[in-house]
Amino acid sequence: MDLSTKYMGLALSNPLVASAGPLSGTLDGIKRLEDGGVAAVVMFSLFEEQIRHENAAFSHLMELGSDSFAESLSYFPEMGAYQIGPESYLDLIRRATETVDIPVIASLNCVSDRGWADYAKQMQQAGAHGLELNVYSVAADLDMDGAAVEQRYLDILLAVKGAVSIPVSLKLSPFFSAMGHMAKRLDWAGADALVLFNRFYQPDIDIQALEVAPTLQLSSPGEIRLPLLWIALLHGKLRASLAATRGVDTADEVVKYLLAGADVVMTTSALLRHGPAYAATLLDGVKHWMEGRGFGCIEQMRGIMSHGRAANPAAFERANYIRVLESYQSPYAST
C-alpha cells in the first residue's frame, strides 16, 4: 500500500500532516508526532505581536533601572545592536530539523510588511523546510473594501516569496466573495500551496461578568463540509498543492478529503483529543478503506470525487442546495 504523496514540492511518506498547534510547541512534541506517524509537522504560529511585546518589556526593564543602576547597563548592548527576536522559535526549528526525519514547516503571522519578510527569512535560515503564512486577520475596519482585503493577501505572499526560496503556503479564510478566483490569483502569484481553511475563533460574551470571553473549541467532523466543497472545486485547476484542514476526527474524514482532491490532510484537534499516536490509527483506517476498494496508492483515489471528475458535478452547485432543503424531514413540518 503506497501512501506517499507530494505537498508543495516536499515528498511525504503519507498524506497526514500535523497542523499548527500546541503539540508542535516543543521538540518532544514534534518527536512524538513523528513517532505517531505524521508525514510532516507545521509548527505553532509565531505572532509578531508576541515579539513586539517582548521587545517592549525588555526596553521597559532597562528604563526602570537607568537611574539607580546605570553602571549595570554597561553589561547590555544598546537596543539597536541587541536584536530581540523569535530566538526560541528559531532554535526550535534548528533542533527539530536536526532531530526528526520528517519536514518541519514553520508558521508565521505578522502585522507589518517588514515583519512577514524578515521573519520568513530567519525561519528559512534556521532550517525550516517550508513556511505556512497564517494570515489570521479579521477585516473589522468598516472602511476597508473587499479588494483591499484581497490585495493584502497578495502583497504578503509576494513579499515573502521575494525573501525566501523554500516553498510557501497560505492558510486562507473562507470569507472571500469569490473564493475560486482568489485561489487562482494566489496561484498565479506563486503560492506553493493553499490550506483550506483557517478557523477564526469568534469570542463569546460572559453575561455574568459582562466581559468578552475568548473561547476555544476543538473542531468537529461537521466542519468538514466547507473545505471539502472548495477542495473538490479547485482540484486539478491550480498549480499549487491543496491542504485540507478542519473537522478531522476519524479516518473517514481523511478519506473524504483525499477523494475530493486534497494533496494532504492536516489535523490538530484529533491528535489533541486522542494523542499523537492516534495518527497511526487514522492512517490504518485509510489503508483499510483503500484495501477494501482495490486502491493501491493515494494517487489512484485522489480527486475521483472532485467537481471535475464527479459523475454528478451539480451536486457541488446550486441544484444540490434545493435537494438538501427538500431532503430534510421533521415530525413538526406539515405534510
Side-chain angles (χ1 to χ4, degrees):
M1 185 66 60
D2 181 10
L3 296 185
S4 64
T5 188
K6 282 190 175 182
Y7 176 56
M8 58 178 184
L10 302 172
L12 305 183
S13 60
N14 66 68
L16 191 63
V17 174
S19 52
L23 289 173
S24 59
T26 64
L27 180 60
D28 179 66
I30 293 172
K31 290 167 64 177
R32 289 169 62 202
L33 289 167
E34 180 187 39
D35 292 342
V38 300
V41 171
V42 181
M43 292 178 58
F44 68 100
S45 292
L46 177 68
F47 288 85
E48 186 178 0
E49 293 95 326
Q50 294 173 327
I51 301 166
R52 289 184 173 188
H53 177 73
E54 292 174 3
N55 288 346
F58 184 87
S59 298
H60 181 62
L61 178 63
M62 293 300 97
E63 290 168 1
L64 283 177
S66 61
D67 294 331
S68 302
F69 305 99
E71 70 281 0
S72 68
L73 297 184
S74 63
Y75 289 99
F76 294 92
E78 293 295 325
M79 281 299 296
Y82 189 83
Q83 296 296 329
I84 299 179
E87 289 305 322
S88 59
Y89 193 96
L90 298 174
D91 182 61
L92 180 57
I93 294 175
R94 296 185 192 100
R95 291 185 292 130
T97 54
E98 291 171 357
T99 303
V100 300
D101 294 323
I102 59 176
V104 175
I105 301 170
S107 178
L108 179 62
N109 181 293
C110 289
V111 293
S112 69
D113 293 339
R114 181 177 176 181
W116 285 106
D118 287 352
Y119 295 126
K121 190 180 300 183
Q122 292 181 53
M123 289 174 176
Q124 173 175 289
Q125 292 169 348
H129 298 98
L131 180 60
E132 180 176 284
L133 306 182
N134 177 14
V135 189
Y136 189 102
S137 177
V138 178
D141 183 351
L142 301 187
D143 293 323
M144 178 179 286
D145 61 21
V149 173
E150 294 182 359
Q151 189 60 46
R152 179 69 178 144
Y153 277 77
L154 290 163
D155 291 343
I156 291 168
L157 174 62
L158 292 171
V160 173
K161 288 290 290 185
V164 302
S165 58
I166 56 176
V168 176
S169 66
L170 278 91
K171 195 168 189 178
L172 296 179
S173 157
F175 304 127
F176 293 104
S177 59
M179 177 61 214
H181 182 68
M182 187 62 194
K184 287 179 65 176
R185 293 182 69 191
L186 293 168
D187 189 43
W188 294 336
D192 297 287
L194 302 179
V195 183
L196 311 181
F197 287 111
N198 208 337
R199 293 181 76 212
F200 276 25
Y201 296 106
Q202 293 86 6
D204 199 356
I205 294 179
D206 185 329
I207 62 173
Q208 302 303 325
L210 294 181
E211 294 179 347
V212 176
T215 59
L216 173 61
Q217 294 181 333
L218 300 179
S219 69
S220 61
E223 296 181 46
I224 192 177
R225 304 295 179 82
L226 184 60
L228 190 73
L229 167 66
W230 278 105
I231 286 170
L233 289 171
L234 294 173
H235 173 71
K237 299 173 184 176
L238 304 176
R239 177 199 57 83
S241 299
L242 293 174
T245 186
R246 277 204 202 180
V248 173
D249 192 54
T250 70
D252 289 354
E253 289 80 51
V254 180
V255 169
K256 289 177 183 180
Y257 274 136
L258 294 172
L259 290 173
D263 294 287
V264 297
V265 178
M266 297 183 173
T267 182
T268 288
S269 293
L271 301 178
L272 286 173
R273 282 195 188 97
H274 309 289
Y278 188 64
T281 301
L282 293 173
L283 293 171
D284 286 342
V286 174
K287 289 179 184 177
H288 179 74
W289 186 90
M290 292 173 65
E291 289 170 353
R293 286 152 186 81
F295 291 109
C297 64
I298 291 293
E299 196 58 38
Q300 290 176 345
M301 62 179 288
R302 179 183 290 113
I304 65 171
M305 294 298 296
S306 64
H307 178 263
R309 297 173 63 183
N312 179 23
F316 293 101
E317 300 168 2
R318 179 179 172 85
N320 200 52
Y321 175 71
I322 300 173
R323 290 181 58 195
V324 169
L325 294 178
E326 293 176 343
S327 69
Y328 182 74
Q329 300 293 325
S330 170
Y332 303 103
S334 59
T335 58

